[in-house]
């Protein structure tokens, strides 16, 4: 199984990098894990809606260029479907059971994801209605993917 994150922007904070590296190491038992970063657009404060759309469109094109047709895509979106850790684990297990071995998660930039990226996604997933920095979301998502594998193998990690 291949798990890939396509994310907008570079991770600068050492503590996030360390946390993600730890979970990536743990995930290597279960899957081939990778993170693909696409450049973010410079977006100064007080952009007009048209300028925001332009920024999102540029980032969206970069994201879509990193996704292959066969990949099953989860788009992280505030309005996506919330799942419990157990529901998420079952969903990942079911996907692999039904032939989806390439699973991709998309985390947009500070303005979110374009309709084109959301349309390409097979499903949208939400971690609640909080707005989180996308750097922190990478760490949270990495941990939740690891947790899903641990749930599926019946490990006490989840408790």
């Amino acid at each position: 199984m291949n798990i890939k994150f396509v994310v907008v922007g570079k991770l600068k904070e050492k503590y996030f990098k360390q946390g993600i590296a730890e979970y990536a190491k743990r995930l290597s038992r279960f899957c081939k894990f990778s993170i693909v970063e696409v450049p973010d657009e410079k977006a100064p404060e007080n952009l007009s809606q048209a300028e925001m759309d332009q920024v999102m469109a540029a980032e969206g094109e970069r994201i879509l260029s990193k996704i292959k047709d066969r990949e099953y895509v989860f788009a992280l979106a505030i309005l996506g479907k919330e799942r419990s850790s157990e529901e998420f684990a079952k969903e990942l297990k079911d996907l692999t059971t039904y032939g989806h071995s390439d699973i991709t998660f998309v985390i947009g930039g500070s303005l979110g994801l374009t309709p084109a990226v959301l349309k390409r996604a097979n499903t949208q997933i939400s971690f609640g209605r909080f707005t989180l920095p996308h750097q922190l979301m990478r760490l949270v998502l990495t941990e939740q993917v690891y947790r899903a594998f641990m749930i599926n193998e019946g490990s006490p990690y989840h408790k």
Side-chain angles (χ1 to χ4, degrees):
M1 170 189 283
N2 297 305
I3 302 273
K4 177 172 74 178
F5 293 3
V6 178
V7 299
V8 173
K10 289 219 173 293
L11 197 56
K12 297 172 189 79
E13 297 84 354
K14 187 178 174 187
Y15 49 92
F16 287 139
K17 287 181 181 178
Q18 290 170 328
I20 291 167
E22 175 60 30
Y23 287 112
K25 186 173 78 178
R26 294 179 187 190
L27 277 169
S28 67
R29 287 179 40 207
F30 304 106
C31 65
K32 182 175 177 247
F33 176 72
S34 62
I35 297 177
V36 177
E37 293 179 336
V38 299
D40 55 343
E41 282 290 295
K42 299 295 171 252
E45 300 291 317
N46 304 321
L47 292 177
S48 69
Q49 186 59 52
E51 289 168 323
M52 286 194 284
D53 291 346
Q54 206 171 2
V55 165
M56 287 172 47
E59 291 174 349
E61 285 175 23
R62 292 178 191 140
I63 290 167
L64 291 171
S65 75
K66 302 299 182 187
I67 299 172
K68 295 179 178 61
D69 289 345
R70 71 177 183 279
E71 295 173 24
Y72 188 95
V73 177
F74 285 84
L76 275 72
I78 286 178
L79 299 177
K81 180 179 176 234
E82 291 184 39
R83 296 148 168 90
S84 67
S85 294
E86 294 84 358
E87 289 167 337
F88 180 56
K90 182 181 181 329
E91 190 171 2
L92 285 182
K93 187 177 186 178
D94 289 349
L95 284 170
T96 57
T97 300
Y98 297 108
H100 295 283
S101 59
D102 295 301
I103 299 172
T104 298
F105 294 87
V106 176
I107 302 175
S110 58
L111 298 177
L113 295 169
T114 60
V117 173
L118 294 174
K119 184 172 186 261
R120 168 56 185 93
N122 298 87
T123 188
Q124 293 180 29
I125 187 170
S126 173
F127 283 76
R129 295 185 40 198
F130 285 113
T131 300
L132 298 173
H134 53 278
Q135 300 91 329
L136 177 58
M137 199 60 240
R138 276 196 223 186
L139 176 59
V140 171
L141 179 60
T142 309
E143 190 279 336
Q144 285 298 302
V145 170
Y146 174 70
R147 181 176 296 272
F149 280 108
M150 297 306 283
I151 289 169
N152 286 336
E153 78 165 14
S155 166
Y157 170 84
H158 175 57
K159 302 295 178 229

